Amino acid sequence: MSKFSGTQRCVHVPLHMPATTPADHCADCGLTDNRRLCLTCGQIGCCDELNGHARAHAERTGHWVMSAMPLSRLSFVWCYKCDGYVVGPLDHPATLAQEDAARTAS
């Protein structure tokens, strides 16, 4: 059960988020579906429904907040420590660069 319902502000959100994403696949198993980006260091892991490497990374490092990929202002942000969604659009440089690249490609 979530410690809070819906979305809320979270004290675990890092003050400085990675400016770029280092890869497009899970760092542990190589999967490219249902990826999660660590908003502290930029590591990419797969979701709990696959192999759970994003959660394992959070528990191992204390990097609790991640975002669903592909990044966009509408990507959900989740805190593993609070067990819930985090408020706010995802407006950091990696998001903006990825959205610009997607617009250019289409």
Side-chain angles (χ1 to χ4, degrees), residues 11-55:
V11 299
H12 302 107
V13 174
L15 295 176
H16 303 284
M17 293 184 240
T20 59
T21 56
D24 64 352
H25 58 275
C26 175
D28 293 306
C29 67
L31 288 174
T32 57
D33 294 329
N34 296 318
R35 294 159 294 141
R36 308 294 184 249
L37 171 70
C38 172
L39 294 184
T40 300
C41 70
Q43 178 161 321
I44 296 175
C46 56
C47 71
D48 289 351
E49 290 77 27
L50 295 175
N51 295 322
H53 291 127
R55 179 182 295 275

mmCIF file of all heavy atoms in Angstrom, residues 11-55:
data_model
loop_
_atom_site.group_PDB
_atom_site.id
_atom_site.type_symbol
_atom_site.label_atom_id
_atom_site.label_comp_id
_atom_site.label_asym_id
_atom_site.label_seq_id
_atom_site.Cartn_x
_atom_site.Cartn_y
_atom_site.Cartn_z
ATOM 1 N N VAL A 11 10.603 14.303 -0.756
ATOM 2 C CA VAL A 11 11.897 14.797 -0.267
ATOM 3 C C VAL A 11 13.073 14.042 -0.871
ATOM 4 O O VAL A 11 14.211 14.472 -0.723
ATOM 5 C CB VAL A 11 11.982 14.721 1.278
ATOM 6 C CG1 VAL A 11 10.903 15.580 1.917
ATOM 7 C CG2 VAL A 11 11.889 13.284 1.755
ATOM 8 N N HIS A 12 12.821 12.942 -1.559
ATOM 9 C CA HIS A 12 13.897 12.138 -2.131
ATOM 10 C C HIS A 12 14.299 12.574 -3.538
ATOM 11 O O HIS A 12 15.272 12.066 -4.082
ATOM 12 C CB HIS A 12 13.484 10.660 -2.144
ATOM 13 C CG HIS A 12 13.149 10.160 -0.784
ATOM 14 N ND1 HIS A 12 11.850 9.896 -0.403
ATOM 15 C CD2 HIS A 12 13.918 9.919 0.295
ATOM 16 C CE1 HIS A 12 11.850 9.496 0.859
ATOM 17 N NE2 HIS A 12 13.092 9.506 1.302
ATOM 18 N N VAL A 13 13.542 13.492 -4.139
ATOM 19 C CA VAL A 13 13.882 13.958 -5.486
ATOM 20 C C VAL A 13 15.244 14.639 -5.425
ATOM 21 O O VAL A 13 15.452 15.534 -4.605
ATOM 22 C CB VAL A 13 12.819 14.930 -6.028
ATOM 23 C CG1 VAL A 13 13.251 15.526 -7.358
ATOM 24 C CG2 VAL A 13 11.481 14.225 -6.171
ATOM 25 N N PRO A 14 16.188 14.230 -6.273
ATOM 26 C CA PRO A 14 17.520 14.840 -6.232
ATOM 27 C C PRO A 14 17.483 16.306 -6.656
ATOM 28 O O PRO A 14 16.660 16.699 -7.484
ATOM 29 C CB PRO A 14 18.335 13.998 -7.214
ATOM 30 C CG PRO A 14 17.335 13.335 -8.090
ATOM 31 C CD PRO A 14 16.083 13.197 -7.291
ATOM 32 N N LEU A 15 18.365 17.097 -6.072
ATOM 33 C CA LEU A 15 18.437 18.512 -6.418
ATOM 34 C C LEU A 15 18.974 18.711 -7.829
ATOM 35 O O LEU A 15 18.581 19.630 -8.535
ATOM 36 C CB LEU A 15 19.320 19.256 -5.422
ATOM 37 C CG LEU A 15 18.790 19.308 -3.995
ATOM 38 C CD1 LEU A 15 19.794 19.984 -3.080
ATOM 39 C CD2 LEU A 15 17.445 20.014 -3.946
ATOM 40 N N HIS A 16 19.909 17.850 -8.230
ATOM 41 C CA HIS A 16 20.505 17.943 -9.560
ATOM 42 C C HIS A 16 20.304 16.618 -10.263
ATOM 43 O O HIS A 16 20.724 15.587 -9.760
ATOM 44 C CB HIS A 16 21.988 18.276 -9.465
ATOM 45 C CG HIS A 16 22.245 19.539 -8.721
ATOM 46 N ND1 HIS A 16 22.021 20.776 -9.277
ATOM 47 C CD2 HIS A 16 22.651 19.767 -7.457
ATOM 48 C CE1 HIS A 16 22.295 21.704 -8.391
ATOM 49 N NE2 HIS A 16 22.683 21.126 -7.272
ATOM 50 N N MET A 17 19.654 16.661 -11.412
ATOM 51 C CA MET A 17 19.381 15.449 -12.156
ATOM 52 C C MET A 17 20.387 15.299 -13.292
ATOM 53 O O MET A 17 20.971 16.285 -13.744
ATOM 54 C CB MET A 17 17.962 15.484 -12.694
ATOM 55 C CG MET A 17 16.945 15.432 -11.591
ATOM 56 S SD MET A 17 15.276 15.365 -12.233
ATOM 57 C CE MET A 17 14.605 16.840 -11.515
ATOM 58 N N PRO A 18 20.602 14.077 -13.757
ATOM 59 C CA PRO A 18 21.556 13.857 -14.848
ATOM 60 C C PRO A 18 21.160 14.658 -16.089
ATOM 61 O O PRO A 18 19.986 14.746 -16.424
ATOM 62 C CB PRO A 18 21.490 12.357 -15.127
ATOM 63 C CG PRO A 18 20.439 11.799 -14.252
ATOM 64 C CD PRO A 18 19.934 12.859 -13.349
ATOM 65 N N ALA A 19 22.149 15.236 -16.752
ATOM 66 C CA ALA A 19 21.873 16.061 -17.935
ATOM 67 C C ALA A 19 21.636 15.204 -19.174
ATOM 68 O O ALA A 19 20.962 15.626 -20.096
ATOM 69 C CB ALA A 19 23.025 17.018 -18.181
ATOM 70 N N THR A 20 22.191 14.012 -19.199
ATOM 71 C CA THR A 20 22.016 13.135 -20.356
ATOM 72 C C THR A 20 21.725 11.720 -19.883
ATOM 73 O O THR A 20 22.021 11.360 -18.750
ATOM 74 C CB THR A 20 23.288 13.096 -21.233
ATOM 75 O OG1 THR A 20 24.376 12.622 -20.437
ATOM 76 C CG2 THR A 20 23.619 14.467 -21.784
ATOM 77 N N THR A 21 21.172 10.932 -20.772
ATOM 78 C CA THR A 21 20.958 9.524 -20.469
ATOM 79 C C THR A 21 22.071 8.728 -21.140
ATOM 80 O O THR A 21 22.325 8.895 -22.335
ATOM 81 C CB THR A 21 19.581 9.053 -20.967
ATOM 82 O OG1 THR A 21 19.470 9.330 -22.345
ATOM 83 C CG2 THR A 21 18.467 9.733 -20.211
ATOM 84 N N PRO A 22 22.759 7.864 -20.389
ATOM 85 C CA PRO A 22 23.924 7.168 -20.914
ATOM 86 C C PRO A 22 23.625 6.038 -21.896
ATOM 87 O O PRO A 22 24.478 5.664 -22.667
ATOM 88 C CB PRO A 22 24.593 6.618 -19.668
ATOM 89 C CG PRO A 22 23.489 6.469 -18.686
ATOM 90 C CD PRO A 22 22.502 7.558 -18.996
ATOM 91 N N ALA A 23 22.415 5.494 -21.872
ATOM 92 C CA ALA A 23 22.101 4.341 -22.715
ATOM 93 C C ALA A 23 20.600 4.286 -22.944
ATOM 94 O O ALA A 23 19.848 5.048 -22.365
ATOM 95 C CB ALA A 23 22.578 3.059 -22.037
ATOM 96 N N ASP A 24 20.185 3.350 -23.781
ATOM 97 C CA ASP A 24 18.751 3.201 -24.029
ATOM 98 C C ASP A 24 18.247 1.823 -23.620
ATOM 99 O O ASP A 24 17.200 1.390 -24.049
ATOM 100 C CB ASP A 24 18.439 3.468 -25.496
ATOM 101 C CG ASP A 24 19.092 2.450 -26.417
ATOM 102 O OD1 ASP A 24 19.905 1.624 -25.949
ATOM 103 O OD2 ASP A 24 18.784 2.465 -27.617
ATOM 104 N N HIS A 25 19.025 1.132 -22.777
ATOM 105 C CA HIS A 25 18.650 -0.210 -22.359
ATOM 106 C C HIS A 25 19.001 -0.416 -20.880
ATOM 107 O O HIS A 25 19.804 0.332 -20.318
ATOM 108 C CB HIS A 25 19.373 -1.256 -23.218
ATOM 109 C CG HIS A 25 20.861 -1.115 -23.159
ATOM 110 N ND1 HIS A 25 21.549 -0.246 -23.972
ATOM 111 C CD2 HIS A 25 21.785 -1.695 -22.358
ATOM 112 C CE1 HIS A 25 22.834 -0.322 -23.690
ATOM 113 N NE2 HIS A 25 23.003 -1.177 -22.711
ATOM 114 N N CYS A 26 18.418 -1.420 -20.270
ATOM 115 C CA CYS A 26 18.705 -1.744 -18.883
ATOM 116 C C CYS A 26 20.181 -2.067 -18.733
ATOM 117 O O CYS A 26 20.735 -2.885 -19.480
ATOM 118 C CB CYS A 26 17.855 -2.932 -18.430
ATOM 119 S SG CYS A 26 18.233 -3.500 -16.751
ATOM 120 N N ALA A 27 20.828 -1.424 -17.774
ATOM 121 C CA ALA A 27 22.261 -1.625 -17.555
ATOM 122 C C ALA A 27 22.588 -3.044 -17.101
ATOM 123 O O ALA A 27 23.703 -3.518 -17.309
ATOM 124 C CB ALA A 27 22.776 -0.622 -16.525
ATOM 125 N N ASP A 28 21.608 -3.741 -16.505
ATOM 126 C CA ASP A 28 21.875 -5.080 -15.980
ATOM 127 C C ASP A 28 21.541 -6.211 -16.941
ATOM 128 O O ASP A 28 22.262 -7.199 -17.004
ATOM 129 C CB ASP A 28 21.108 -5.284 -14.671
ATOM 130 C CG ASP A 28 21.640 -4.386 -13.575
ATOM 131 O OD1 ASP A 28 22.852 -4.416 -13.313
ATOM 132 O OD2 ASP A 28 20.833 -3.643 -12.988
ATOM 133 N N CYS A 29 20.438 -6.075 -17.695
ATOM 134 C CA CYS A 29 20.027 -7.203 -18.537
ATOM 135 C C CYS A 29 19.886 -6.850 -20.019
ATOM 136 O O CYS A 29 19.668 -7.734 -20.838
ATOM 137 C CB CYS A 29 18.725 -7.819 -18.025
ATOM 138 S SG CYS A 29 17.291 -6.725 -18.180
ATOM 139 N N GLY A 30 19.987 -5.555 -20.346
ATOM 140 C CA GLY A 30 19.935 -5.150 -21.746
ATOM 141 C C GLY A 30 18.550 -4.958 -22.331
ATOM 142 O O GLY A 30 18.419 -4.602 -23.504
ATOM 143 N N LEU A 31 17.494 -5.170 -21.553
ATOM 144 C CA LEU A 31 16.143 -4.988 -22.081
ATOM 145 C C LEU A 31 15.905 -3.538 -22.491
ATOM 146 O O LEU A 31 16.440 -2.615 -21.884
ATOM 147 C CB LEU A 31 15.096 -5.392 -21.041
ATOM 148 C CG LEU A 31 14.966 -6.886 -20.762
ATOM 149 C CD1 LEU A 31 14.002 -7.130 -19.610
ATOM 150 C CD2 LEU A 31 14.490 -7.608 -22.006
ATOM 151 N N THR A 32 15.102 -3.365 -23.529
ATOM 152 C CA THR A 32 14.795 -2.013 -24.000
ATOM 153 C C THR A 32 13.333 -1.639 -23.778
ATOM 154 O O THR A 32 12.914 -0.553 -24.146
ATOM 155 C CB THR A 32 15.131 -1.872 -25.500
ATOM 156 O OG1 THR A 32 14.409 -2.857 -26.232
ATOM 157 C CG2 THR A 32 16.619 -2.024 -25.748
ATOM 158 N N ASP A 33 12.554 -2.524 -23.168
ATOM 159 C CA ASP A 33 11.149 -2.241 -22.868
ATOM 160 C C ASP A 33 10.995 -1.824 -21.411
ATOM 161 O O ASP A 33 11.746 -2.281 -20.543
ATOM 162 C CB ASP A 33 10.284 -3.485 -23.103
ATOM 163 C CG ASP A 33 10.233 -3.880 -24.559
ATOM 164 O OD1 ASP A 33 10.323 -2.992 -25.415
ATOM 165 O OD2 ASP A 33 10.110 -5.091 -24.827
ATOM 166 N N ASN A 34 10.019 -0.953 -21.158
ATOM 167 C CA ASN A 34 9.674 -0.546 -19.794
ATOM 168 C C ASN A 34 10.895 -0.137 -18.971
ATOM 169 O O ASN A 34 11.138 -0.646 -17.890
ATOM 170 C CB ASN A 34 8.889 -1.650 -19.085
ATOM 171 C CG ASN A 34 7.571 -1.900 -19.760
ATOM 172 O OD1 ASN A 34 6.878 -0.968 -20.144
ATOM 173 N ND2 ASN A 34 7.221 -3.158 -19.931
ATOM 174 N N ARG A 35 11.651 0.799 -19.534
ATOM 175 C CA ARG A 35 12.872 1.271 -18.884
ATOM 176 C C ARG A 35 12.573 2.368 -17.869
ATOM 177 O O ARG A 35 11.620 3.118 -18.017
ATOM 178 C CB ARG A 35 13.853 1.807 -19.926
ATOM 179 C CG ARG A 35 14.352 0.717 -20.847
ATOM 180 C CD ARG A 35 14.882 1.275 -22.143
ATOM 181 N NE ARG A 35 13.759 1.874 -22.887
ATOM 182 C CZ ARG A 35 13.865 2.994 -23.582
ATOM 183 N NH1 ARG A 35 14.993 3.652 -23.657
ATOM 184 N NH2 ARG A 35 12.823 3.487 -24.221
ATOM 185 N N ARG A 36 13.403 2.446 -16.850
ATOM 186 C CA ARG A 36 13.305 3.464 -15.810
ATOM 187 C C ARG A 36 14.665 4.142 -15.676
ATOM 188 O O ARG A 36 15.692 3.476 -15.610
ATOM 189 C CB ARG A 36 12.920 2.843 -14.465
ATOM 190 C CG ARG A 36 11.671 1.960 -14.522
ATOM 191 C CD ARG A 36 10.421 2.762 -14.841
ATOM 192 N NE ARG A 36 9.221 1.941 -14.811
ATOM 193 C CZ ARG A 36 8.508 1.633 -15.871
ATOM 194 N NH1 ARG A 36 8.866 2.052 -17.078
ATOM 195 N NH2 ARG A 36 7.417 0.898 -15.757
ATOM 196 N N LEU A 37 14.640 5.476 -15.617
ATOM 197 C CA LEU A 37 15.859 6.270 -15.510
ATOM 198 C C LEU A 37 16.035 6.736 -14.075
ATOM 199 O O LEU A 37 15.141 7.383 -13.516
ATOM 200 C CB LEU A 37 15.775 7.492 -16.432
ATOM 201 C CG LEU A 37 16.881 8.529 -16.284
ATOM 202 C CD1 LEU A 37 18.209 7.963 -16.802
ATOM 203 C CD2 LEU A 37 16.519 9.803 -17.020
ATOM 204 N N CYS A 38 17.164 6.422 -13.470
ATOM 205 C CA CYS A 38 17.484 6.923 -12.138
ATOM 206 C C CYS A 38 17.732 8.419 -12.259
ATOM 207 O O CYS A 38 18.577 8.861 -13.039
ATOM 208 C CB CYS A 38 18.734 6.224 -11.597
ATOM 209 S SG CYS A 38 19.334 6.941 -10.048
ATOM 210 N N LEU A 39 16.985 9.215 -11.502
ATOM 211 C CA LEU A 39 17.117 10.660 -11.597
ATOM 212 C C LEU A 39 18.253 11.213 -10.751
ATOM 213 O O LEU A 39 18.482 12.415 -10.727
ATOM 214 C CB LEU A 39 15.802 11.339 -11.225
ATOM 215 C CG LEU A 39 14.654 11.066 -12.190
ATOM 216 C CD1 LEU A 39 13.422 11.861 -11.796
ATOM 217 C CD2 LEU A 39 15.050 11.359 -13.633
ATOM 218 N N THR A 40 18.993 10.329 -10.097
ATOM 219 C CA THR A 40 20.179 10.757 -9.356
ATOM 220 C C THR A 40 21.435 10.581 -10.203
ATOM 221 O O THR A 40 22.222 11.511 -10.348
ATOM 222 C CB THR A 40 20.326 9.971 -8.039
ATOM 223 O OG1 THR A 40 19.165 10.197 -7.246
ATOM 224 C CG2 THR A 40 21.561 10.396 -7.276
ATOM 225 N N CYS A 41 21.609 9.406 -10.795
ATOM 226 C CA CYS A 41 22.862 9.130 -11.515
ATOM 227 C C CYS A 41 22.681 8.851 -13.004
ATOM 228 O O CYS A 41 23.658 8.800 -13.738
ATOM 229 C CB CYS A 41 23.595 7.967 -10.865
ATOM 230 S SG CYS A 41 22.801 6.360 -11.099
ATOM 231 N N GLY A 42 21.446 8.635 -13.453
ATOM 232 C CA GLY A 42 21.203 8.396 -14.871
ATOM 233 C C GLY A 42 21.243 6.943 -15.298
ATOM 234 O O GLY A 42 21.065 6.632 -16.475
ATOM 235 N N GLN A 43 21.459 6.020 -14.359
ATOM 236 C CA GLN A 43 21.460 4.604 -14.739
ATOM 237 C C GLN A 43 20.065 4.199 -15.192
ATOM 238 O O GLN A 43 19.060 4.654 -14.647
ATOM 239 C CB GLN A 43 21.900 3.714 -13.592
ATOM 240 C CG GLN A 43 21.854 2.235 -13.989
ATOM 241 C CD GLN A 43 22.669 1.356 -13.096
ATOM 242 O OE1 GLN A 43 23.747 1.718 -12.678
ATOM 243 N NE2 GLN A 43 22.145 0.186 -12.810
ATOM 244 N N ILE A 44 20.016 3.320 -16.168
ATOM 245 C CA ILE A 44 18.743 2.818 -16.675
ATOM 246 C C ILE A 44 18.556 1.375 -16.229
ATOM 247 O O ILE A 44 19.466 0.556 -16.337
ATOM 248 C CB ILE A 44 18.686 2.934 -18.208
ATOM 249 C CG1 ILE A 44 18.745 4.409 -18.588
ATOM 250 C CG2 ILE A 44 17.428 2.274 -18.754
ATOM 251 C CD1 ILE A 44 18.825 4.667 -20.059
ATOM 252 N N GLY A 45 17.367 1.094 -15.705
ATOM 253 C CA GLY A 45 17.020 -0.255 -15.289
ATOM 254 C C GLY A 45 15.650 -0.614 -15.829
ATOM 255 O O GLY A 45 14.897 0.247 -16.294
ATOM 256 N N CYS A 46 15.316 -1.889 -15.762
ATOM 257 C CA CYS A 46 13.999 -2.330 -16.226
ATOM 258 C C CYS A 46 13.018 -2.308 -15.061
ATOM 259 O O CYS A 46 13.391 -2.289 -13.895
ATOM 260 C CB CYS A 46 14.083 -3.714 -16.860
ATOM 261 S SG CYS A 46 14.777 -4.986 -15.800
ATOM 262 N N CYS A 47 11.722 -2.312 -15.393
ATOM 263 C CA CYS A 47 10.664 -2.165 -14.387
ATOM 264 C C CYS A 47 10.488 -3.438 -13.558
ATOM 265 O O CYS A 47 11.025 -4.495 -13.881
ATOM 266 C CB CYS A 47 9.359 -1.783 -15.074
ATOM 267 S SG CYS A 47 8.641 -3.126 -16.032
ATOM 268 N N ASP A 48 9.694 -3.308 -12.509
ATOM 269 C CA ASP A 48 9.426 -4.440 -11.616
ATOM 270 C C ASP A 48 8.749 -5.599 -12.331
ATOM 271 O O ASP A 48 8.973 -6.752 -11.992
ATOM 272 C CB ASP A 48 8.545 -4.003 -10.441
ATOM 273 C CG ASP A 48 9.293 -3.108 -9.467
ATOM 274 O OD1 ASP A 48 10.521 -2.954 -9.590
ATOM 275 O OD2 ASP A 48 8.631 -2.544 -8.573
ATOM 276 N N GLU A 49 7.904 -5.299 -13.315
ATOM 277 C CA GLU A 49 7.182 -6.355 -14.032
ATOM 278 C C GLU A 49 8.108 -7.193 -14.912
ATOM 279 O O GLU A 49 7.750 -8.290 -15.314
ATOM 280 C CB GLU A 49 6.063 -5.767 -14.888
ATOM 281 C CG GLU A 49 4.901 -5.220 -14.076
ATOM 282 C CD GLU A 49 5.202 -3.865 -13.433
ATOM 283 O OE1 GLU A 49 6.045 -3.103 -13.978
ATOM 284 O OE2 GLU A 49 4.616 -3.575 -12.382
ATOM 285 N N LEU A 50 9.280 -6.673 -15.221
ATOM 286 C CA LEU A 50 10.257 -7.451 -15.991
ATOM 287 C C LEU A 50 11.247 -8.059 -15.003
ATOM 288 O O LEU A 50 10.916 -9.000 -14.317
ATOM 289 C CB LEU A 50 10.919 -6.565 -17.051
ATOM 290 C CG LEU A 50 9.937 -6.061 -18.133
ATOM 291 C CD1 LEU A 50 10.621 -5.096 -19.083
ATOM 292 C CD2 LEU A 50 9.346 -7.222 -18.901
ATOM 293 N N ASN A 51 12.449 -7.520 -14.910
ATOM 294 C CA ASN A 51 13.450 -8.095 -14.003
ATOM 295 C C ASN A 51 13.698 -7.255 -12.756
ATOM 296 O O ASN A 51 14.490 -7.653 -11.904
ATOM 297 C CB ASN A 51 14.766 -8.324 -14.753
ATOM 298 C CG ASN A 51 14.619 -9.371 -15.836
ATOM 299 O OD1 ASN A 51 13.922 -10.366 -15.649
ATOM 300 N ND2 ASN A 51 15.236 -9.142 -16.966
ATOM 301 N N GLY A 52 13.073 -6.088 -12.667
ATOM 302 C CA GLY A 52 13.173 -5.273 -11.455
ATOM 303 C C GLY A 52 14.524 -4.645 -11.185
ATOM 304 O O GLY A 52 14.843 -4.323 -10.044
ATOM 305 N N HIS A 53 15.319 -4.435 -12.228
ATOM 306 C CA HIS A 53 16.652 -3.884 -12.002
ATOM 307 C C HIS A 53 16.642 -2.422 -11.569
ATOM 308 O O HIS A 53 17.564 -1.975 -10.880
ATOM 309 C CB HIS A 53 17.526 -4.087 -13.246
ATOM 310 C CG HIS A 53 17.862 -5.526 -13.459
ATOM 311 N ND1 HIS A 53 17.629 -6.183 -14.646
ATOM 312 C CD2 HIS A 53 18.375 -6.444 -12.612
ATOM 313 C CE1 HIS A 53 18.011 -7.444 -14.530
ATOM 314 N NE2 HIS A 53 18.467 -7.630 -13.301
ATOM 315 N N ALA A 54 15.617 -1.655 -11.939
ATOM 316 C CA ALA A 54 15.542 -0.258 -11.478
ATOM 317 C C ALA A 54 15.348 -0.224 -9.963
ATOM 318 O O ALA A 54 16.013 0.541 -9.263
ATOM 319 C CB ALA A 54 14.405 0.479 -12.194
ATOM 320 N N ARG A 55 14.466 -1.051 -9.445
ATOM 321 C CA ARG A 55 14.240 -1.121 -7.995
ATOM 322 C C ARG A 55 15.500 -1.630 -7.284
ATOM 323 O O ARG A 55 15.888 -1.102 -6.234
ATOM 324 C CB ARG A 55 13.060 -2.012 -7.652
ATOM 325 C CG ARG A 55 12.817 -2.113 -6.142
ATOM 326 C CD ARG A 55 11.661 -3.035 -5.806
ATOM 327 N NE ARG A 55 10.402 -2.529 -6.304
ATOM 328 C CZ ARG A 55 9.648 -1.648 -5.651
ATOM 329 N NH1 ARG A 55 10.037 -1.168 -4.488
ATOM 330 N NH2 ARG A 55 8.505 -1.244 -6.166
#
